[in-house]
Amino acid sequence: MSKKIIIAIDGFSSCGKSTLAKDLAKKLGYRYIDTGAMYRAVTYYFEENDVNIKEHEAVEKALKDISIDFDYDENTGKQITILNGYSVEKEIRSPEISNKVSPVAAIKEVRSFLVAQQQKMGDNKGIVMDGRDIGTVVFPQAELKLFMTADEDIRIERRYDELKANGENIDLEDVRENIKRRDYIDTHREESPLKQADDAIVLNNSNLTPQEQLLLVYEMVQKKVKE
Ligand code: DC
């Protein structure tokens, strides 16, 4: 059997990171972790429990009561996010949570709480993890790092289609606003801002189908495991 590696996938909102990470993990028989879901689950908990994110003590206290796990849909390989024993997979994808997650992801205590858990998940390698700081902070030693991007209009359309498909009644301009604001916060925050790792491979998938992209990256993995 070939050696197992860590694959770190970072990039902007809605540029297909999760689709690639999920499909790649399935093809390789690796574990797939969508770390954005972890930041979303924390945001959901803070909302439900009226945690004031400006109060450090309240945030630290709340984090002690949060436990995040994942289940997987056998057929699709899709990750199901479990917060304190209950699935919150649908709730964390709502526009409300999308609008509130970036300020939560900018909190130092939240990041160190989640990064420690993510690093543990990589102990046995054989993992594909997507997020914003995976190649820079969580796994700087990852054997393969990708920095994904796509043209802004394409990303906006993709998110809009995804929300519509989930039954959300949403305006295209609101989606545009949300994506731009999140990109800005994610790249400008003090704590581990989104940035390309020096040794990451840039993948602009504006003109690639998910299948084309999968095959391209699968070949990269094959090369890495033979090294
Ligand atoms: O990938 P996503 O849209 O579900 O991410 C939700 C938010 O969490 C987004 O604002 C960026 C942030 N995030 C982060 O700061 N670090 C990660 N590793 C993953 C997500």
Side-chain angles (χ1 to χ4, degrees), residues 18-81:
S18 300
T19 306
L20 171 67
K22 170 169 68 71
D23 294 348
L24 185 64
K26 198 164 179 225
K27 203 168 163 66
L28 293 166
Y30 279 20
R31 187 161 185 221
Y32 154 57
I33 302 291
D34 162 9
T35 60
M38 301 172 83
Y39 289 93
R40 287 170 178 270
V42 169
T43 307
Y44 178 74
Y45 182 93
F46 285 179
E47 279 302 299
E48 288 292 288
N49 294 281
D50 292 324
V51 176
N52 182 347
I53 63 167
K54 298 214 165 70
E55 289 175 12
H56 282 260
E57 273 182 25
V59 166
E60 282 189 332
K61 188 166 171 291
L63 289 174
K64 292 202 172 73
D65 293 328
I66 294 180
S67 157
I68 299 171
D69 290 300
F70 296 113
D71 263 353
Y72 292 88
D73 182 315
E74 294 271 324
N75 297 319
T76 59
K78 223 179 151 238
Q79 173 186 279
I80 299 163
T81 311

Side-chain angles (χ1 to χ4, degrees), residues 131-142:
R132 305 293 190 290
D133 59 342
I134 312 304
T136 50
V137 176
V138 180
F139 296 129
Q141 80 285 21

